Structure formats: structure tokens, C-alpha cells
């Protein structure tokens, strides 16, 4: 049974940093594309970042480039999202997802992923 468990969310002030973790069981993160998405109230789920299964290539949404970094620890079977210089507009529930052989064309959309975690809340106050 595949499980993805996010942690590390919280309430912070603008300019602060957080590191989210996505701990996987039932699959090996190095064999899947792992993505992070966020969803604010009343909005659609949006792509944030991803690291691919082949070559560990990384992708980022324009809104987070230069501020967020995705990384993978194969020994811990965990993927991280380090978020720096947080802004109030980053406030959302953050989900991690795993995609089996996700193509580059599908990395940025929810349909490219097969398994999802339950999410962790990130709130950034101004």
C-alpha cells in the first residue's frame, strides 16, 4: 500500500522559511516523479515543484523560482521542499504526489500523478 505523508507546515511570518517533508512508503521515491502542489481556499490545485524519476531533473512554478528548492533523500525515501522568503500568497495546503513514469509534459499538472498525500497547511502572515 502506497502512502505519502507530508509534514513541516505551520504558521509563519512573511520572509520566514519552512521545510516540508514528504515521507513515502510502498514505493521508492527515486523511481517516481515526486511533485509538490498547493491549493488555496476556493482555488484549484496548482503545481509548485517536482523532481523526476529519471535524472532527478527539477521543475518549478514561476512563482516560486529562486525561493523554493525541491530535493530528494533516497536513503530516507523522502522528498523535501525548502521554502524561503515566504509570502502571504504562498498560504495554502501543500500536497506531495508520486507519478509513475511521468513525462516532462505532464509534470506540471495533477493528472501526471498517481498517488497523493493528505496535505499540510502552510499559513504566511503579513
Amino acid at each position: 500500500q502506497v502512502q505519502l505523508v507530508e509534514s513541516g507546515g505551520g504558521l509563519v511570518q512573511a520572509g520566514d522559511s519552512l521545510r516540508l517533508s514528504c515521507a513515502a512508503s510502498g514505493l521508492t521515491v527515486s523511481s517516481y516523479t515526486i511533485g509538490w502542489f498547493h491549493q488555496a481556499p476556493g482555488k484549484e490545485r496548482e503545481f509548485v515543484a517536482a523532481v523526476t524519476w529519471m535524472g532527478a531533473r527539477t521543475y518549478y512554478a514561476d512563482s516560486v523560482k529562486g525561493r523554493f528548492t525541491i530535493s530528494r533523500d533516497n536513503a530516507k525515501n523522502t522528498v523535501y521542499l525548502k521554502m524561503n522568503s515566504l509570502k502571504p500568497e504562498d498560504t495554502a495546503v501543500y500536497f506531495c504526489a508520486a507519478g509513475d513514469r511521468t513525462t516532462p509534459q505532464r509534470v506540471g499538472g495533477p493528472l501526471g500523478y498517481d498517488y497523493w498525500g493528505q496535505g499540510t497547511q502552510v499559513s504566511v502572515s503579513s
Side-chain angles (χ1 to χ4, degrees), residues 3-67:
Q3 278 194 316
L4 301 174
V5 179
E6 303 95 335
S7 62
L11 173 62
V12 297
Q13 293 186 330
D16 286 349
S17 298
L18 281 174
R19 189 181 76 160
L20 305 184
S21 299
C22 173
S25 59
L27 61 78
T28 302
V29 295
S30 60
S31 298
Y32 285 73
T33 290
I34 306 297
W36 285 96
F37 290 74
H38 69 196
Q39 188 167 18
K43 294 189 176 181
E44 293 186 352
R45 194 165 295 189
E46 296 180 339
F47 172 74
V48 176
V51 55
T52 64
W53 63 281
M54 181 179 286
R57 183 173 179 178
T58 57
Y59 294 82
Y60 296 95
D62 288 343
S63 60
V64 306
K65 281 181 182 176
R67 299 191 298 126

Side-chain angles (χ1 to χ4, degrees), residues 80-97:
Y80 302 99
L81 184 69
K82 182 67 187 300
M83 306 186 296
N84 296 327
S85 303
L86 282 162
K87 304 176 181 180
E89 50 264 42
D90 295 320
T91 295
V93 178
Y94 282 72
F95 300 89
C96 69

